[in-house]
């Protein structure tokens, strides 16, 4: 019986990713798409990893594009009692520092000026880069799905993306 190993997705740096692409290419397997954590608050893949994936012709799909819910309206007023940050879940309470909350509120103001929700702008921001193939959505409700689908319009332009960074 085959052994099953469960693991969380990880983002590896450009060197290890290039090595993996070389190894699978030797076996005549194409590294088709790479899944990684990416959001307006988590940009560590810029510029090296995205550039390397582009050079390899490998697609890139983002997960956690809403930064574990931080890029929604949920935390604008602080940490709600029913939030995963208050329960010690996957979002640590210390991830919502005063500095991060201030940045989230500023981003929310920019989204409002654009006629979008914070979540819509955050998703549009991830997809603004042509090297980003797609973004995973984790909608739990029809309302969240509708909000996510509305992220497709209007597109973020370079002058707006500079302001949101």
């Amino acid at each position: 019986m085959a052994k099953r190993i469960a693991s969380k997705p990880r983002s590896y740096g450009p060197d290890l990713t290039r090595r993996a692409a070389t190894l699978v290419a030797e076996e005549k397997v194409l590294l088709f798409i790479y899944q990684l954590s990416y959001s307006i608050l988590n940009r560590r893949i810029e510029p090296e990893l995205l550039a390397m994936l582009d050079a390899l012709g490998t697609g890139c799909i983002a997960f956690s594009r809403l930064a574990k819910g931080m890029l929604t309206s949920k935390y604008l007023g602080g940490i709600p009692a029913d939030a995963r940050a208050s329960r010690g879940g996957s979002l640590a309470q210390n991830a919502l520092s005063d500095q991060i909350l201030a940045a989230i509120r500023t981003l929310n103001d920019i989204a409002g000026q654009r006629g979008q929700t914070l979540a819509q702008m955050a998703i549009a921001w991830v997809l603004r880069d042509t090297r980003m193939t797609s973004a995973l959505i984790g909608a739990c409700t029809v309302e969240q799905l509708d909000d996510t689908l509305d992220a497709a319009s209007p597109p973020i332009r370079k002058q707006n993306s500079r302001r949101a960074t």
Side-chain angles (χ1 to χ4, degrees):
M1 177 161 46
K3 190 177 201 179
R4 184 174 179 186
I5 300 172
S7 67
K8 291 183 179 180
R10 290 181 178 84
S11 296
Y12 298 104
D15 294 337
L16 190 55
T17 301
R18 186 181 312 279
R19 178 154 162 65
T22 300
L23 291 172
V24 296
E26 289 171 0
E27 298 299 321
K28 308 287 188 246
V29 176
L30 178 64
L31 181 56
F32 184 68
I33 196 155
Y34 189 67
Q35 179 179 319
L36 43 75
S37 177
Y38 183 55
S39 74
I40 201 167
L41 295 178
N42 174 10
R43 300 173 60 183
R44 64 188 170 85
I45 65 168
E46 297 174 351
E48 292 179 11
L49 187 55
L50 281 177
M52 191 272 310
L53 291 172
D54 190 39
L56 289 171
T58 300
C60 189
I61 187 167
F63 72 90
S64 198
R65 79 273 172 256
L66 296 178
K68 298 182 180 181
M70 290 190 292
L71 293 170
T72 68
S73 60
K74 181 178 225 163
Y75 298 104
L76 292 173
I79 302 172
D82 64 341
R84 58 180 138 176
S86 66
R87 296 188 310 261
S90 62
L91 177 61
Q93 208 164 1
N94 63 1
L96 288 162
S97 67
D98 290 341
Q99 182 180 4
I100 292 293
L101 285 170
I104 292 167
R105 289 181 186 119
T106 299
L107 290 169
N108 186 61
D109 291 344
I110 294 169
Q113 292 167 13
R114 293 172 43 81
Q116 292 180 301
T117 66
L118 176 56
Q120 288 169 348
M121 187 180 77
I123 294 166
W125 185 90
V126 165
L127 295 174
R128 87 206 184 290
D129 192 314
T130 57
R131 299 169 296 183
M132 192 59 59
T133 307
S134 186
L136 294 175
I137 59 169
C140 297
T141 66
V142 173
E143 181 182 79
Q144 288 175 344
L145 180 60
D146 283 342
D147 192 47
T148 298
L149 294 175
D150 288 341
S153 176
I156 287 187
R157 292 177 181 80
K158 286 197 185 268
Q159 71 270 18
N160 289 337
S161 70
R162 280 193 198 101
R163 202 165 156 231
T165 57

